[in-house]
Amino acid sequence: MTKQADVVVIGGGITGTAVLHELAKYNLRAILVEQEPELAAGTTKANSAVLHAGFDAPEGSIKARMNVEGNKLYHDLKDELDLQIRWSGSFVVAMDDEQMAVLRDLLKRGQDNGVPGLEIWDGDAVRKSEPNVSKDIKGALWAPTAGICWPFGLALAFAENAVVNGAEILRECTVTDIIVEQGAVKSVETDQGSIETKYVINAAGIHADEISHLAGDNSFAIHPRKGEYILFDKTAQKNLVYSPIFPTPTKMGKGILVCATTHGNVFVGPNAQDMNDDEKDNTAVTISGMDETLEKARRLVPNIPVGAAITEFAGVRAVSSTGDFILGPSKITKGLIQAAGIQSPGLTSAPAIAKYLTDAIVREMGAVKKSDYKKGRPAQPCFRMLTNADQRALIAKDSRYGRVICRCETVTEGEIVDAIHRPVGARTVDGVKRRTRAGMGRCQGGFCGPRVIQILSRELHIPITKVRKEMKKSYMFYDKETQSGGKA
Ligand SMILES: Cc1cc2nc3c(=O)[nH]c(=O)nc-3n(C[C@H](O)[C@H](O)[C@H](O)COP(=O)(O)OP(=O)(O)OC[C@H]3O[C@@H](n4cnc5c(N)ncnc54)[C@H](O)[C@@H]3O)c2cc1C
């Protein structure tokens, strides 16, 4: 395969998909390449899912600017792209006078960064709003513009809108080299062939330094810092917290929070563990990490429903050697545009990063906006949210909506089939899970897993032995013939 593009985006996380969504508004040939079968398979799938207000990053930093702008942009994008966001506000709590002083610094920093509505509350006011927080909390910084979101859903929405508007996404396509001639990008080489292009946007997450090296720019490094989480069943402790509850931050980050998901579960985490540079993809959870996470979360909210833990997971922060996001044209290689070192608040900043980078490329290329640009994306049916009358009407139209596959989350066969055939369809078991919630409930796919595998096999016209959990080689079954698969 040899393809031509005006811009190649490397990486299908929140940064890459947000950039593709922005590029797709212009008369440009844009291609996104992602090495895994599903989008958002890197850090974007495992984080705290908070859309931060913007008081954490130092005034004048790129992070601060992108955070505040990104948060504002999501307020508009929520309805346009049907994003799963709840504008919950957030609390950073203090336990003593020393920590109260830190909150006052954060308030000042937030105001300098342009964050609206910040207030310091006393402990009783916090407990009135969040009855389950510790009686030891002395006060909190309240940020009304913060929110919680479903990160995979955001990335998928950006990607689907981009595809509807003519952008191309190549999945299971690993970048192996970038050809540079006379100091300028010529092509991106992948294991699916070559893509000739003048512009490359490097949104490769924790691997962004390696991509940059391929194009001859060694000006920064990315170091991995892992964070572990515990997720609880949503039936166990409904309404434990409404807003994210953060401790007072330290040098290592924002600390271990207690938070609800947009789907009603509670989770706690993340801790912060610096890893070796050869452990960038190590997302294993540890017993010590779980102990630390629980212990610190209990200081904020004592009655964490420990017995209702349904899963643990970890995400890896892309800590840059510059201490800030690395955004914009490389000083060494013409046509290489960096979106690197995108650690927290990267999720929040993504729409602002996308606009900033796209504006620069569009100016340079003289590209114009598409006259037939389509807002939004095809609606995604969600059976459990419908009224009885609407459910009956849907079943009458397509009987597959009458077959419940996931009992914990009430997900029907119709929704799973839709998820597979959407503009950016599910290719794996976890792809179905993240689009529909089949397998997200208390039994974690114990009941519906085999049925989801059968449906994937049928709809994708592949043998069962070729169905994967999530990553490229994570086959669900051992294939006797090819003697492959069977392990993640
Ligand atoms: C513990 C933790 C908590 C966080 N909490 C928050 C939060 O609450 N709010 C917030 O705003 N931010 C938060 N963040 C930060 C946020 O999650 C990240 O900034 C964001 O997800 C980064 O997205 P990305 O697209 O840049 O990278 P990724 O999501 O990692 O995407 C990069 C993609 O590039 C692909 N790729 C890599 N190499 C290649 C190659 N050679 N060829 C093709 N594809 C390739 C990968 O497969 C991956 O899909 C948190 C991060 C962590 C780790």
Side-chain angles (χ1 to χ4, degrees):
M1 160 199 93
T2 300
K3 284 179 173 274
Q4 270 85 37
D6 295 309
V7 189
V8 173
V9 181
I10 302 176
I14 193 72
T15 310
T17 53
V19 169
L20 194 72
H21 162 252
E22 204 55 37
L23 289 169
K25 295 178 181 169
Y26 293 87
N27 273 322
L28 290 169
R29 289 168 305 172
I31 299 182
L32 182 147
V33 290
E34 165 54 50
Q35 64 189 356
E36 298 298 343
E38 298 291 349
L39 298 177
T43 303
T44 299
K45 74 168 183 224
N47 52 64
S48 304
V50 176
L51 297 179
H52 293 289
F55 52 78
D56 290 289
E59 196 202 348
S61 63
I62 310 173
K63 271 185 194 169
R65 201 177 110 206
M66 294 296 142
N67 185 158
V68 176
E69 274 179 37
N71 180 294
K72 269 195 209 129
L73 288 168
Y74 275 120
H75 278 79
D76 299 332
L77 287 165
K78 181 179 185 296
D79 288 340
E80 188 179 321
L81 288 174
D82 190 20
L83 303 178
Q84 285 180 47
I85 295 174
R86 190 175 87 200
W87 294 114
S88 57
S90 69
F91 289 105
V92 179
V93 301
M95 300 294 189
D96 54 34
D97 288 341
E98 214 175 297
Q99 293 189 350
M100 285 301 290
V102 177
L103 295 194
R104 284 190 288 277
D105 288 347
L106 284 181
L107 171 73
K108 159 93 176 59
R109 191 192 294 170
Q111 287 165 340
D112 291 345
N113 287 350
V115 180
L118 293 174
E119 289 170 3
I120 302 269
W121 290 14
D122 68 23
D124 288 340
V126 181
R127 276 180 289 277
K128 205 165 163 206
S129 173
E130 293 284 354
N132 292 309
V133 299
S134 163
K135 61 177 176 25
D136 297 332
I137 286 173
K138 205 169 158 51
L141 176 65
W142 163 244
T145 54
I148 56 173
C149 69
W150 173 231
F152 176 84
L154 304 191
L156 185 68
F158 285 136
E160 288 195 337
N161 171 269
V163 167
V164 165
N165 283 292
E168 195 176 347
I169 295 180
L170 303 175
R171 288 186 269 170
E172 302 187 54
C173 182
T174 303
V175 172
T176 52
D177 204 358
I178 297 175
I179 306 298
V180 175
E181 281 178 17
Q182 294 170 336
V185 168
K186 265 285 184 240
S187 68
V188 172
E189 303 301 309
T190 78
D191 57 0
Q192 287 186 27
S194 179
I195 312 172
E196 291 169 0
T197 185
K198 282 189 179 152
Y199 291 97
V200 171
I201 297 188
N202 175 12
I206 41 173
H207 297 288
D209 52 351
E210 296 150 43
I211 293 293
S212 186
H213 293 184
L214 293 178
D217 182 344
N218 298 325
S219 58
F220 64 90
I222 302 290
H223 304 292
R225 183 179 293 160
K226 186 158 77 172
E228 298 166 84
Y229 293 91
I230 308 173
L231 180 82
F232 301 94
D233 182 25
K234 63 182 176 189
T235 54
Q237 230 338 341
K238 270 201 170 146
N239 309 323
L240 187 70
V241 291
Y242 182 81
S243 308
I245 313 287
F246 288 90
T248 307
T250 65
K251 255 195 241 150
M252 283 299 270
K254 298 180 191 76
I256 288 171
L257 72 146
V258 180
C259 193
T261 69
T262 49
H263 299 105
N265 301 75
V266 167
F267 68 90
V268 297
N271 59 353
Q273 271 174 277
D274 281 319
M275 312 287 284
N276 296 324
D277 284 345
D278 58 357
E279 292 180 295
K280 285 182 172 178
D281 296 310
N282 178 346
T283 53
V285 289
T286 60
I287 291 176
S288 60
M290 298 297 96
D291 285 346
E292 180 192 356
T293 301
L294 264 184
E295 198 241 297
K296 290 188 175 158
R298 277 191 178 126
R299 290 184 205 162
L300 307 177
V301 178
N303 54 337
I304 301 283
V306 183
I310 50 175
T311 191
E312 300 85 30
F313 60 94
V316 184
R317 303 167 181 90
V319 181
S320 82
S321 52
T322 68
D324 203 348
F325 291 165
I326 300 165
L327 285 188
S330 155
K331 293 195 176 76
I332 291 150
T333 308
K334 193 168 169 349
L336 174 66
I337 317 283
Q338 309 285 15
I342 311 296
Q343 60 176 120
S344 188
L347 194 58
T348 318
S349 305
I353 292 175
K355 230 176 148 333
Y356 175 73
L357 298 182
T358 302
D359 285 354
I361 291 180
V362 161
R363 258 197 318 273
E364 208 169 297
M365 292 186 68
V368 290
K369 279 213 161 147
K370 283 177 183 154
S371 55
D372 57 351
Y373 173 74
K374 297 173 210 65
K375 285 187 170 184
R377 61 192 175 120
Q380 197 173 346
C382 182
F383 186 80
R384 68 184 168 278
M385 303 296 280
L386 299 177
T387 62
N388 284 350
D390 287 343
Q391 287 182 340
R392 273 197 297 275
L394 195 56
I395 294 168
K397 235 167 62 189
D398 183 340
S399 62
R400 291 174 297 187
Y401 285 96
R403 268 196 293 280
V404 173
I405 301 295
C406 170
R407 291 188 185 172
C408 301
E409 296 288 324
T410 321
V411 181
T412 64
E413 182 173 357
E415 290 161 274
I416 295 173
V417 171
D418 171 80
I420 295 169
H421 296 297
R422 292 185 63 75
V424 183
R427 289 186 180 174
T428 66
V429 173
D430 282 1
V432 167
K433 171 167 139 178
R434 296 200 181 104
R435 284 168 181 84
T436 65
R437 290 193 62 75
M440 285 257 188
R442 178 131 211 169
C443 88
Q444 288 286 291
F447 177 80
C448 65
R451 287 290 290 125
V452 170
I453 292 169
Q454 281 174 338
I455 296 169
L456 275 163
S457 162
R458 182 189 76 207
E459 297 295 319
L460 297 175
H461 308 291
I462 53 172
I464 283 229
T465 47
K466 292 285 174 247
V467 175
R468 290 162 295 181
K469 183 173 184 313
E470 175 190 18
M471 302 307 223
K472 234 176 186 173
K473 293 196 175 136
S474 60
Y475 295 101
M476 299 294 293
F477 299 104
Y478 180 70
D479 186 344
K480 216 169 160 191
E481 229 167 78
T482 59
Q483 303 208 341
S484 62
K487 54 183 174 197

